[in-house]
Amino acid sequence: MSDHQDEPEALDLDQVAPPSMEARRALALAEAMAVLDRYSPPMLFLFAFALRLAAATNVHFPGLDDPAYYYQVATNLASGRGLTVDTIWGWLVDFPSVTHASNEHWMPLASMVLAPFFALFGPNFQLGQLVGAAAGAALAPIAWHLSREALRDHAPWRAFGWFAGMFIAFNPSLAYQAIAVDSSVYFTLFGALALLLAVTWLVESNVGAAVTGLVVGLAYLSRTEGLLLAAVLLPVVWLQTEREAKLRRTLIFAAGVVVLVLPWWFRNLMAFGSPSPVPLGLLALVPDYAALFHFGGPAREGFAQAGVFDLMGERLQALGQNVSLVLQITVPLVITAIVAVVRLWDTLALRVMLAATVVLVVAPALLVPVLDQWG
């Protein structure tokens, strides 16, 4: 037996090459992305929150009638008076007195969110702005997550998630919306969260379907357009779920929505005698915004007599306004967005977001054009 049998073979150092430049770059990129993924959500939230707090210093009172309405209902809730209001906003419903059951038209969630804070610290407009600023700031990390889902199979582009989050964080329209004490910020928050859940958790488990349905229900309690989100996501859960779980998961999602919608309809039935105090058919025929404020009740005969061309004109005007608002928010990113649609069309995240955008832009304009333009 050789004396050198157990000795290791000599290592030829010439055969050991340092990592290639490409390998080092890939490793550095992976490390940088890991750091970015870890810290992006909290950093985006803090950036967005700080901007909204700064914007709030320039707004000292509700700028429109609907934020003032939400504020007053929240104050009454906090004082133990329930969902009541001490003003008459319009004459869509015949009220027995100036003080009456609230939310015959506007939805209750904004007031319900503010009421616990008002009960603890007293009614305060700045406190309402603080709560809204936090809700609005949460949109930035949600946008980051949605972008990551859309770019899941395009690793070199994943850093664009940070760009999407910063775009939301520093968007002036969204910043004002958050500190106006309005329902829009809560609808946007729960709507965006529902879309994120739809492309991550909705079709993966029964719990995911239930939670997504509940979030859509919260979006509805913020604004009635939440039911349009349910209409968008029902086909998603049906088409994206495995065959053996398809029906069960779809029903669970629908149940999550219904469990929040039905109690509100029952409340309206008790307070106003109808689940929908203002019929959609009536709102579809509103000839102009001023008609909502006819003393003694709406001129329903006048609504019905609105000309066909006038009704069509209202819808075209509302649709044009919605499209222009989308363009105002996204400019100068329209070209980038078009490229993204082409390159990422095969991703579920993009298709769901695009479907929700189209439905929310088109459906309200066609169904209730006057309210879509004026609130």
Side-chain angles (χ1 to χ4, degrees):
M1 182 178 292
S2 172
D3 294 338
H4 302 288
Q5 183 174 359
D6 297 330
E7 294 182 5
E9 296 183 3
L11 184 64
D12 186 356
L13 297 180
D14 292 336
Q15 296 179 359
V16 179
S20 66
M21 183 65 69
E22 291 77 8
R24 290 200 297 270
R25 287 176 178 172
L27 180 61
L29 177 61
E31 293 175 347
M33 292 302 298
V35 173
L36 199 62
D37 289 350
R38 186 179 306 115
Y39 295 108
S40 287
M43 289 178 64
L44 287 168
F45 176 84
L46 292 175
F47 284 144
F49 189 52
L51 177 67
R52 282 149 181 75
L53 290 182
T57 61
N58 297 309
V59 180
H60 306 289
F61 191 78
L64 294 170
D65 47 351
D66 37 346
Y69 189 98
Y70 298 128
Y71 181 86
Q72 184 180 116
V73 173
T75 301
N76 290 343
L77 267 175
S79 65
R81 297 177 55 194
L83 288 169
T84 60
V85 68
D86 302 302
T87 57
I88 291 179
W89 174 77
W91 301 100
L92 296 171
V93 174
D94 295 329
F95 299 112
S97 63
V98 173
T99 297
H100 57 86
S102 64
N103 301 99
E104 77 285 352
H105 174 58
W106 286 315
M107 300 301 285
L109 190 74
S111 300
M112 291 178 172
V113 170
L114 295 177
F117 296 95
F118 287 2
L120 289 173
F121 305 105
N124 184 285
F125 182 67
Q126 284 68 40
L127 177 59
Q129 289 181 303
L130 183 66
V131 176
L139 285 172
I142 290 175
W144 176 82
H145 277 290
L146 279 168
S147 297
R148 278 173 48 84
E149 288 301 318
L151 298 169
R152 178 180 291 276
D153 298 326
H154 301 269
W157 292 5
R158 284 177 59 198
F160 277 93
W162 175 261
F163 177 78
M166 292 294 284
F167 177 76
I168 296 298
F170 288 92
N171 186 282
S173 298
L174 295 177
Y176 175 77
Q177 177 192 84
I179 52 89
V181 192
D182 188 57
S183 64
S184 298
V185 64
Y186 303 106
F187 173 74
T188 308
L189 172 62
F190 289 117
L193 183 57
L195 295 181
L196 177 59
L197 291 173
V199 299
T200 55
W201 201 20
L202 171 62
V203 300
E204 294 181 357
S205 69
N206 294 335
V207 175
V211 171
T212 307
L214 289 171
V215 172
V216 172
L218 290 172
Y220 166 74
L221 292 178
S222 305
R223 293 183 68 92
T224 52
E225 290 92 331
L227 289 183
L228 296 176
L229 281 177
V232 170
L233 296 185
L234 270 173
V236 173
V237 64
W238 178 265
L239 295 173
Q240 296 296 321
T241 305
E242 309 87 2
R243 178 178 299 179
E244 60 274 10
K246 191 183 294 289
L247 179 60
R248 179 177 68 253
R249 203 150 294 162
T250 303
L251 291 175
I252 290 174
F253 167 75
V257 179
V258 168
V259 77
L260 291 179
V261 171
L262 280 185
W264 179 246
W265 287 355
F266 181 76
R267 179 267 178 184
N268 284 343
L269 182 63
M270 295 295 98
F272 303 107
S274 171
S276 178
V278 184
L280 177 62
L282 176 65
L283 294 176
L285 298 175
V286 174
D288 54 64
Y289 192 60
L292 302 176
F293 306 98
H294 289 168
F295 179 74
R300 302 191 180 201
E301 297 80 7
F303 287 9
Q305 292 173 4
V308 173
F309 290 105
D310 291 335
L311 295 175
M312 291 177 58
E314 291 170 3
R315 282 153 176 78
L316 291 175
Q317 184 176 347
L319 184 60
Q321 175 179 291
N322 289 351
V323 171
S324 67
L325 287 174
V326 171
L327 294 177
Q328 288 174 25
I329 293 175
T330 57
V331 166
L333 304 177
V334 176
I335 296 178
T336 306
I338 294 174
V339 173
V341 168
V342 174
R343 295 293 299 271
L344 304 176
W345 178 249
D346 59 337
T347 64
L348 175 64
L350 178 70
R351 291 184 179 186
V352 171
M353 288 187 286
L354 192 61
T357 299
V358 171
V359 169
L360 290 173
V361 166
V362 175
L366 297 181
L367 293 173
V368 285
V370 171
L371 293 178
D372 187 46
Q373 294 178 76
W374 297 99

